[in-house]
Amino acid sequence: MSTNIKVGKLQEGLKTRLVGKYIFFAKEVASTNEWAKGLVELGAPEGTVAVAETQTAGRGRLGRKWISPKGGLWLSLIFRPTLKPSETVKLVFLASLAVAEVLRELYGLKAETKWPNDVLVDGRKVCGILSEMKTVGEKVDYTIIGIGVNANIDVEKGFPEELRETATSIQRALGRKIDLEELFRALLEKVESLYQIFLKEGFVPILEGWKGFASFLGCHVEVYGDDERFEGIASDVDKDGMLVLELRDGFLRRVFFGDLSLKVKRRCV
Ligand code: ATP
Ligand code: BTN
């Protein structure tokens, strides 16, 4: 069993045609998203993957630092679909769904999706997704989808204290290490199959799958950013990926994920 990623072995047995046709591996990079951007600017095609053992400047949403010790799966995927900038959020849903399905299928974990970009296990963050894009006029030139999965990480040793309550890892949830290359391959295969569905049938089946794992739906939540704060029942996520909040006065408010985060105030049954 390989608890580390080894160069050269990543593509062995990989059953994809697009995603992972070209895989770039490094022991250490600043950020795989940054690296993938450089690769696409040099001509790397859609489906190219950049993966690293550790990141020294891993990026989270909203300018946050993403802690990326050895044992995690830190990767970025290059996509070039015909989408408007506001639609690239759909690829974040696709990636979250892929991670949740793989964690369920490979390890039997009850992985859940949380709007807008998280995958949770036992109510804690096991994976975060960061999308970044380049636009030309009104069109998206390319989108980088960065996926960070806390895989073989001893949370007590590998994470700073402030993360130990909110974050978890596959290792913590299972009480054992997993084969990182197996997870990597399963994830790429899942992303490819969901991406093909997305290209043929659109966003609806992706969203439906994602909602099927979204335990926060129906819960009392708080959505907040630097200048905004809403509270209400998370009643739905609409066809554009916007959260539909039912406010206290019964009005519905749609919120675009932009600069916002979501906190579940009470867990729901
Ligand atoms: P988001 O807005 O991305 O959903 P959040 O504000 O809801 O994040 P949490 O989901 O609780 O916050 O994430 C915990 C915080 O720790 C975030 O700021 C996240 O970026 C940060 N963090 C850094 N590295 C990690 C990691 N490896 N695993 C989990 N969280 C991490
Ligand atoms: C978040 O939840 O805030 C998003 C975290 C995204 C982390 C991944 S790890 C691979 C890729 N490279 C980065 O610098 N960030 C993403």
Side-chain angles (χ1 to χ4, degrees):
M1 184 176 90
S2 176
T3 53
N4 294 321
I5 290 181
K6 286 192 199 70
V7 64
K9 282 193 69 194
L10 292 173
Q11 268 166 324
E12 259 175 37
L14 181 66
K15 296 193 237 27
T16 59
R17 282 199 298 175
L18 178 73
V19 178
K21 188 166 175 209
Y22 300 97
I23 298 174
F24 291 81
F25 170 82
K27 279 212 167 291
E28 186 175 284
V29 290
S31 153
T32 56
N33 265 31
E34 200 53 42
W35 190 22
K37 249 190 247 177
L39 292 170
V40 74
E41 293 288 351
L42 288 172
E46 178 165 70
T48 298
V49 179
V51 56
E53 209 168 79
T54 56
Q55 299 183 113
T56 53
R59 294 205 288 257
R61 275 199 335 127
L62 314 175
R64 293 177 188 136
K65 192 171 160 47
W66 185 258
I67 312 291
S68 318
K70 194 170 167 189
L73 186 57
W74 322 123
L75 66 94
S76 299
L77 304 159
I78 295 170
F79 287 103
R80 304 192 96 152
T82 335
L83 291 176
K84 291 189 213 120
S86 62
E87 290 178 311
T88 55
V89 65
K90 295 174 180 175
L91 297 176
V92 175
F93 283 78
L94 188 155
S96 313
L97 174 60
V99 172
E101 283 193 357
V102 165
L103 296 190
R104 283 169 178 255
E105 289 166 10
L106 279 186
Y107 314 116
L109 289 172
K110 199 171 159 276
E112 296 171 347
T113 48
K114 187 189 137 201
W115 187 88
N117 67 318
D118 297 347
V119 179
L120 310 182
V121 166
D122 301 325
R124 295 181 163 119
K125 185 154 169 165
V126 73
C127 165
I129 319 271
L130 177 69
S131 72
E132 297 180 281
M133 65 182 147
K134 182 177 168 192
T135 53
V136 176
E138 289 293 288
K139 288 204 178 120
V140 176
D141 184 16
Y142 59 80
T143 304
I144 309 287
I145 298 289
I147 305 179
V149 187
N150 300 330
N152 291 328
I153 296 174
D154 178 339
V155 171
E156 303 302 322
K157 290 192 190 137
F159 283 157
E161 204 174 337
E162 66 273 15
L163 272 192
R164 289 179 204 152
E165 276 304 300
T166 55
T168 193
S169 67
I170 300 176
Q171 178 175 331
R172 183 199 243 182
L174 292 179
R176 66 173 170 90
K177 287 193 195 287
I178 52 118
D179 184 329
L180 212 47
E181 287 158 1
E182 181 185 40
L183 172 64
F184 175 79
R185 280 191 287 265
L187 185 55
L188 296 197
E189 285 166 12
K190 185 64 81 177
V191 167
E192 171 143 324
S193 71
L194 292 176
Y195 190 52
Q196 294 309 331
I197 292 174
F198 175 66
L199 293 178
K200 281 193 202 100
E201 299 170 42
F203 185 48
V204 172
I206 305 299
L207 181 63
E208 288 311 313
W210 184 95
K211 280 200 228 173
F213 299 148
S215 61
F216 73 94
L217 285 174
C219 294
H220 183 173
V221 301
E222 189 184 358
V223 179
Y224 56 95
D226 284 345
D227 315 313
E228 293 175 298
R229 190 184 154 277
F230 313 105
E231 233 182 277
I233 306 290
S235 62
D236 198 10
V237 172
D238 75 8
K239 59 172 188 17
D240 302 315
M242 288 170 103
L243 176 70
V244 184
L245 263 190
E246 187 185 329
L247 304 176
R248 205 168 284 161
D249 55 14
F251 278 97
L252 293 182
R253 179 170 191 133
R254 271 161 219 275
V255 280
F256 186 66
F257 86 105
D259 294 340
L260 300 173
S261 296
L262 176 144
K263 218 165 230 94
V264 177
K265 302 273 285 186
R266 279 192 298 272
R267 283 198 66 78
C268 310
V269 280

